[in-house]
Amino acid sequence: MGNKEHLLQQLTGVDSSKLNYYVELKKKNEEILKQNTLLEILHQLTRDINIHMTIEDILDRTFLKLPQAIPCDFLSVATLSMERLSLKAAVPSDFCTMDELPKDSYSWQVIRSKKATSFDPATSYLAQMHRKDIYPIELKSLAIAPMFVRSEVIGVLLVASFNHDAYQEAELSAIQHLADHLSISIQNSRLYTQVSRAKQEWEQTFRAVTDPIVLVDLDYNVILHNGHLPEQMRKTWEQSNSNKCYACLHGLLEPCPDCPMEEMQKTLQPQHIRIHDESGLTLDRSHYPVLTDKGQMVAMTIILKDVTEKVKMEAQLVQSAKLAAIGEMAAGVAHELNSPMTVIIGTAQLLARELAEQNVSEEIDDIINCGLRCKRIIQNLLTFSRQDQIAVSSTDLNSEVERVLSLIQYQINRNQIRIIADLDPKLPTMTANGPQIQQVLTNLLVNARDALDSLNDEEKVIHVRTHVREKDGKRWAIISVEDNGCGIEEKDLQKIFTPFFTSKDATKGTGLGLSVSLGIAQGHNGTIEVKSTPGQGSTFSLVLPETEE
C-alpha cells in the first residue's frame, strides 16, 4: 500500500493526500475547460464576425460570449491615430463618455510596453473615462491588451470587471488572444469599408460620365455599362434579345465588320473608329484593351462619343468656306459683266428709238430682253454671293423658286431633262432668308439631275411644286422636287443627311449638300422630308412653318 501511495505521488508531482490530489486535479480540469470555452468563444466569434460589421457590432457580439470564459462587465476598444488614442466603442455603450485618453493613462503604458497588463483601476483613471452615474458600482479590475496589425499597434482592448483580482496570467493570455482576433476583424472591416468606398466612388464616376461606356469580354458579351446611351440607340439596346455588344449597340446578328477585337488581341493597342449608325448618328468609337498584370487581354472597353453635331458644324464650316470662295468669284464675274451688259442694253434701247420706223424692232427687242435676262442672272449671282449678310425678311417662295430655275435651268436642260414647275399662287409670304432657300432648292435640283443620269431610254423629268399643307392646326409651306431617277436604297436612306456621306462618285459630290440644306431648314424651324423608291425616283420636300407677318 505504501508503495502505491509513493508511486501515486511520483506520477502526480503533488506531495499531498488523495484528497488534495483530487482537488488539484479538479482545479486543473476547470482551467482546461475554461481554456476550451475561451477557444470555442474565439472560434465562434471568428465565424460570427464578418467584414460588414462596424466596431460597435463586433464589440456587441464579443460581449455576449466573453463572460462565459472571462469576467467581463465592461468592454471597450480605443484606436490609435495621429498619436491620439480615442475610445471608439464600448459595451455597455452608455457606461462612459467616448473621449481621447490622456498620455499618462494605463492604455498608453500598454502601448509603449506592447504587453497585456492588469491594473487596479483607481478613481483617477475612471474619471478619465467619464463613467456615468447610472452605474454606481465601480470597476475593481482592469485588463488592457495591445492590438496589433503587422507588429504595429493600432489600439488597445480594455476588459473590466466589478470583481477584485479578476485577471491573472491565464486571463491576460486569453485577452491578448482575443485582442489579436479583434485586431484582424477590425482591420478587415476597415479595409472592406475602404474598398467599398473606393468601389462606390468608381461606380459613381463611371456612371457620371455622359458618354456611353461598355465593357465586353473576349466573346463580345456585355459585362458592364454606364447606362448613358443616345435616345436613338436606347431602343435598340432594350429590344435586343442577346447580350452581345454588336446586338445591343447596333442590332446586328454578328460582330461588326470593322470590330478591332482580334487586332487588339495581337497588338494590345487602342483602336479608334468613326461610324455612321443606322439611326443617323455619327459616333467616334474608341476601343481600349483591359489587361492583366501579365499583359494578357481579358476584356475590351468601348467608349462611344456622339459627334453628330460636331460633324455637322464642321460640314457647315467647309460648305461656308466653299460658298465664300464661289461667292467671291461670282461677285467678281457679276461685276465684270454688269457694266458691259448695261452698255449693251442702253445701246439697244437707243437703237430701238432711232429705228422705230424701220422694220427691225423685233430683233432689237430680242437684244433688250436677252440683256435684261442676263442682268437678272447677274443680280441673282450677286445676291447668292452675299447670302450670309442678308437677314430674314418677308420672302415670296415662288419668286425664290423662279430665280433658282432661271439660274440652273440651262445646266439641267442640256442633260435632256424636262423641268415642270407647278407653283401655287396662293402660297403665303414667309419670313425667311431668301438666298438660303435658293441654296437648298439648288442642292435638291442638282441631286435630282444626278439621279437621272442612269436613265437612257426613258424621259427624264423633274417636277418642282409649291403648295400649302394643313396639319394639327398648323399651316406649312412646301417646296418639293420630284424626279423619276434611280431612287435611294433603304439602307442609305437614314444616312443621306450625315455630313460627308455620299453615294455619288468622288468627282460629283462631297456629301455636304443635304447636310447643310437640313441645317438651313432646321434654322427656319422646318425640316426636309424624303420619299424614295429604288428604281422609281425620289421626292425631297422643304417644309417650312407659316410665319405671321
Side-chain angles (χ1 to χ4, degrees):
M1 187 64 180
N3 290 335
K4 290 183 178 179
E5 290 180 358
H6 180 70
L7 180 61
L8 185 61
Q9 289 176 1
Q10 286 182 336
L11 290 173
T12 61
V14 179
D15 190 14
S16 61
S17 63
K18 282 186 177 181
L19 179 61
N20 289 336
Y21 162 71
Y22 286 115
V23 170
E24 290 293 329
L25 184 60
K26 182 178 180 182
K27 184 177 180 180
K28 287 186 178 293
N29 285 338
E30 288 176 352
E31 290 177 357
I32 293 172
L33 289 174
K34 194 174 183 180
Q35 290 293 331
N36 288 340
T37 302
L38 180 61
L39 290 174
E40 289 178 4
I41 291 171
L42 291 177
H43 179 67
Q44 186 66 33
L45 287 174
T46 303
R47 293 196 311 175
D48 290 350
I49 295 173
N50 57 67
I51 56 178
H52 301 283
M53 289 184 175
T54 62
I55 295 179
E56 291 81 0
D57 294 335
I58 293 173
L59 279 189
D60 285 338
R61 188 66 60 91
T62 304
F63 190 73
L64 290 174
K65 303 284 187 179
L66 190 59
Q68 299 176 23
I70 299 174
C72 179
D73 298 301
F74 173 77
L75 185 65
S76 179
V77 167
T79 57
L80 181 62
S81 176
M82 305 292 291
E83 291 298 317
R84 299 178 62 183
L85 187 62
S86 304
L87 288 172
K88 288 298 182 184
V91 185
S93 59
D94 56 353
F95 183 85
C96 63
T97 303
M98 298 295 158
D99 204 349
E100 182 180 349
L101 298 178
K103 293 284 186 176
D104 59 349
S105 66
Y106 295 146
S107 298
W108 275 102
Q109 294 180 32
V110 171
I111 289 174
R112 286 188 282 268
S113 67
K114 296 185 178 182
K115 182 180 179 182
T117 311
S118 62
F119 300 93
D120 179 12
T123 305
S124 59
Y125 184 74
L126 295 176
Q128 293 173 353
M129 296 176 61
H130 304 290
R131 182 172 60 86
K132 295 185 178 180
D133 295 337
I134 59 174
Y135 293 93
I137 303 176
E138 292 187 353
L139 296 171
K140 301 298 191 299
S141 300
L142 175 66
I144 305 176
M147 302 174 68
F148 297 97
V149 172
R150 300 188 187 93
S151 73
E152 181 182 350
V153 179
I154 64 168
V156 292
L157 174 66
L158 298 91
V159 183
S161 173
F162 295 135
N163 301 325
H164 286 287
D165 299 325
Y167 307 114
Q168 304 303 320
E169 287 299 324
E171 286 76 16
L172 288 176
S173 176
I175 291 172
Q176 185 60 65
H177 281 298
L178 177 61
D180 294 340
H181 275 75
L182 292 181
S183 298
I184 296 172
S185 299
I186 291 172
Q187 184 66 8
N188 288 343
S189 178
R190 285 179 175 176
L191 291 175
Y192 176 77
T193 301
Q194 292 174 4
V195 171
S196 298
R197 186 183 300 115
K199 179 176 179 290
Q200 185 179 11
E201 290 173 354
W202 180 86
E203 288 179 346
Q204 290 174 347
T205 303
F206 179 70
R207 299 192 183 282
V209 177
T210 55
D211 292 331
I213 303 177
V214 182
L215 181 66
V216 301
D217 63 18
L218 300 185
D219 293 323
Y220 305 97
N221 295 306
V222 175
I223 303 172
L224 188 67
H225 68 93
N226 66 345
H228 291 286
L229 287 172
E231 188 65 34
Q232 297 92 322
M233 297 182 68
R234 189 173 296 121
K235 186 176 180 181
T236 302
W237 186 287
E238 293 172 352
Q239 292 178 347
S240 174
N241 294 323
S242 171
N243 194 41
K244 303 293 184 181
C245 60
Y246 50 80
C248 295
L249 293 174
H250 307 295
L252 301 177
L253 299 177
E254 57 186 19
C256 304
D258 55 358
C259 181
M261 176 75 82
E262 294 183 3
E263 180 69 18
M264 284 179 61
Q265 292 185 61
K266 298 175 183 177
T267 65
L268 303 181
Q269 296 297 317
Q271 302 286 333
H272 306 280
I273 302 171
R274 175 163 289 183
I275 62 171
H276 301 294
D277 193 76
E278 292 294 333
S279 60
L281 295 174
T282 301
L283 302 169
D284 279 348
R285 196 173 68 193
S286 300
H287 308 77
Y288 299 92
V290 179
L291 307 177
T292 63
D293 295 338
K294 297 181 179 179
Q296 183 180 3
M297 180 173 166
V298 293
M300 177 174 69
T301 300
I302 302 173
I303 301 178
L304 299 172
K305 189 171 186 64
D306 186 354
V307 293
T308 306
E309 294 302 320
K310 177 186 175 184
V311 171
K312 285 182 179 179
M313 290 180 65
E314 290 175 352
Q316 289 173 355
L317 288 174
V318 172
Q319 185 74 347
S320 296
K322 186 173 78 171
L323 290 175
I326 295 174
E328 187 175 349
M329 180 185 68
V333 171
H335 281 298
E336 289 296 326
L337 293 176
N338 201 33
S339 297
M341 286 308 305
T342 301
V343 174
I344 292 172
I345 294 171
T347 303
Q349 289 174 339
L350 288 174
L351 285 173
R353 291 194 192 97
E354 292 178 2
L355 302 176
E357 296 179 357
Q358 300 183 26
N359 193 21
V360 292
S361 59
E362 184 175 348
E363 289 81 359
I364 294 176
D365 286 342
D366 285 343
I367 295 173
I368 294 173
N369 290 333
C370 289
L372 291 173
R373 181 172 178 271
C374 290
K375 286 278 285 184
R376 285 194 297 272
I377 293 173
I378 292 169
Q379 186 60 44
N380 287 339
L381 283 173
L382 286 170
T383 302
F384 178 82
S385 69
R386 61 174 187 269
Q387 61 175 280
D388 290 336
Q389 304 171 19
I390 300 176
V392 294
S393 59
S394 182
T395 303
D396 184 347
L397 295 183
N398 284 336
S399 297
E400 301 301 332
V401 173
E402 290 171 350
R403 288 191 184 96
V404 171
L405 291 177
S406 69
L407 282 170
I408 204 171
Q409 191 158 12
Y410 170 74
Q411 184 182 1
I412 291 179
N413 285 342
R414 73 177 184 175
N415 289 318
Q416 298 179 342
I417 299 173
R418 183 163 64 98
I419 296 179
I420 301 174
D422 183 9
L423 308 183
D424 185 355
K426 297 181 180 180
L427 199 69
T429 301
M430 309 288 291
T431 300
N433 184 317
Q436 287 188 344
I437 301 300
Q438 293 179 35
Q439 180 184 344
V440 174
L441 187 55
T442 300
N443 281 327
L444 299 183
L445 286 168
V446 170
N447 286 344
R449 179 204 65 187
D450 293 341
L452 292 166
D453 283 348
S454 59
L455 295 185
N456 295 319
D457 300 330
E458 300 178 36
E459 183 185 14
K460 302 177 182 179
V461 178
I462 295 177
H463 204 148
V464 181
R465 295 186 181 89
T466 61
H467 63 280
V468 176
R469 176 198 296 171
E470 293 189 12
K471 184 178 180 180
D472 299 330
K474 294 183 179 180
R475 286 167 56 87
W476 304 79
I478 313 294
I479 304 175
S480 63
V481 176
E482 180 183 356
D483 65 74
N484 62 333
C486 60
I488 303 171
E489 296 293 335
E490 186 176 356
K491 65 182 179 62
D492 293 333
L493 205 55
Q494 295 296 328
K495 304 176 184 177
I496 58 175
F497 293 107
T498 301
F500 304 108
F501 172 81
T502 179
S503 57
K504 303 177 185 178
D505 295 337
T507 57
K508 287 190 175 182
T510 61
L512 295 176
L514 284 176
S515 172
V516 173
S517 297
L518 180 62
I520 291 173
Q522 292 173 341
H524 287 76
N525 297 318
T527 188
I528 294 179
E529 297 176 349
V530 186
K531 294 180 181 179
S532 183
T533 303
Q536 297 184 19
S538 305
T539 301
F540 284 78
S541 299
L542 173 62
V543 183
L544 301 174
E546 183 180 359
T547 54
E548 297 181 1
E549 294 294 330

